[in-house]
Amino acid sequence: MSLRERLQAESARLGFLACGVASLEPSRFGVALDDWLARGFGGTMRYLNRQANKRKNPAEIAAGATRAIVVLDNYLPPQSPECRAPSAEPAGRRVAKIAKYARGRDYHLELTERLGHLSRFALDSGATVARPYADAGPVPER
C-alpha cells in the first residue's frame, strides 16, 4: 500500500470524509488575489493583506514541506433536541437562533485534535514535516 493510500485509510479511521495530497506549488490565482485585495474587497480583514504572499506561495507556510495532506470533514455537530427550532414560538417570547456550526464543540479544536493524530501518523510513516492546520492561517482554500 502506498503512503497516500495509508494516509487515506488513516484519515477515514479518524472520521474524515475524504483525504488527498496536494502540491505546494505557487497558486495560479496569485494575480487575481493581488487584484482583489487592491480593489479593497478584503474590507477590514487586514490579515488577508498580511498573509497574501503565503496564500500565493503555500510552500512558505511550513518550512521544508513539499506536499499538503488535505481532508474533507463535516464539522456540524449532530442536532440535539435543545438546538432544534421550536415548531411555534410561545406568544410574546423570543427564541434565540444559534448557527449550526456554533452548537457543538469549537470545530477548530475538534479538527486540530484529529489532524494532530493524522500528523503523527504521517511523521511515523516517514514525513519530515507535519503541521496540523484547521482554518487557522493563510491556506488558499480554492
Side-chain angles (χ1 to χ4, degrees):
M1 188 183 293
S2 72
L3 177 55
R4 181 184 304 240
E5 292 168 326
R6 291 190 343 257
L7 285 166
Q8 289 171 330
E10 180 64 10
S11 73
R13 187 189 73 75
L14 291 168
F16 292 109
L17 301 174
C19 175
V21 178
S23 71
L24 295 178
E25 63 199 27
S27 171
R28 64 180 186 209
F29 301 106
V31 172
L33 175 62
D34 287 339
D35 180 56
W36 188 83
L37 290 170
R39 293 171 66 192
F41 292 141
T44 60
M45 297 180 287
R46 295 291 167 222
Y47 66 90
L48 292 173
N49 292 294
R50 286 192 310 272
Q51 299 171 346
N53 197 45
K54 288 182 179 179
R55 287 182 188 278
K56 295 184 295 186
N57 301 291
E60 293 182 17
I61 294 171
T66 59
R67 300 277 185 271
I69 302 167
V70 182
V71 296
L72 173 66
D73 196 30
N74 179 358
Y75 55 79
L76 293 178
Q79 196 156 344
S80 62
E82 63 273 8
C83 290
R84 288 194 180 101
S87 56
E89 293 184 21
R93 222 172 93 191
R94 298 187 71 157
V95 176
K97 294 182 181 181
I98 301 171
K100 287 182 182 178
Y101 73 88
R103 293 178 183 172
R105 183 174 179 226
D106 183 340
Y107 76 91
H108 296 93
L109 299 174
E110 170 71 24
L111 287 177
T112 300
E113 183 178 305
R114 289 169 44 225
L115 289 171
H117 291 293
L118 189 58
S119 295
R120 284 188 291 285
F121 180 86
L123 290 169
D124 291 344
S125 298
T128 56
V129 176
R131 178 180 176 189
Y133 224 63
D135 189 26
V139 176
E141 290 99 2
R142 294 170 184 78

